[in-house]
Amino acid sequence: MYLERPGCNLCMGNQEKAAKGDTVMATSTRLFQGRVVEDRDGKKGESLLASTPVVVLSAILGRIPNIEEYKAAVEGINLTKFAPIPTK
């Protein structure tokens, strides 16, 4: 897990980066290729954009949650007035 100080992601002097080839999940929208994670031989660095609840749950689980885990974790929390499209 890579934690970054609160504030502007890299554009206001925070020049920390994850290790080359890591996968980073964040709520920042400035995650273009190579900005937070550089590639290494044989492994491309990845920057994944996610909502705050997904990032928090991923940090707790140590992996990206599946949809059932996400729904159970946010049950009873009014995250937004919009709902995901039901799947069958």
Side-chain angles (χ1 to χ4, degrees):
M1 179 173 72
Y2 170 75
L3 296 175
E4 185 176 298
R5 286 188 226 45
C8 190
N9 179 28
L10 298 178
C11 61
M12 296 296 288
N14 181 5
Q15 296 300 312
E16 293 182 51
K17 290 190 176 194
K20 291 181 179 182
D22 273 358
T23 298
V24 174
M25 179 180 284
T27 58
S28 170
T29 58
R30 298 183 180 265
L31 296 176
F32 50 83
Q33 185 65 33
R35 185 168 183 129
V36 177
V37 185
E38 296 177 23
D39 296 343
R40 73 169 190 244
D41 291 339
K43 172 92 172 52
K44 190 169 196 147
E46 296 180 288
S47 299
L48 306 174
L49 178 62
S51 68
T52 301
V54 171
V55 171
V56 170
L57 188 54
S58 296
I60 292 167
L61 296 173
R63 60 180 169 72
I64 299 171
N66 62 40
I67 190 67
E68 291 79 20
E69 292 168 323
Y70 177 82
K71 286 179 180 180
V74 300
E75 187 175 349
I77 301 171
N78 184 10
L79 297 171
T80 178
K81 64 181 180 180
F82 302 103
I85 298 171
T87 58
K88 296 189 185 229

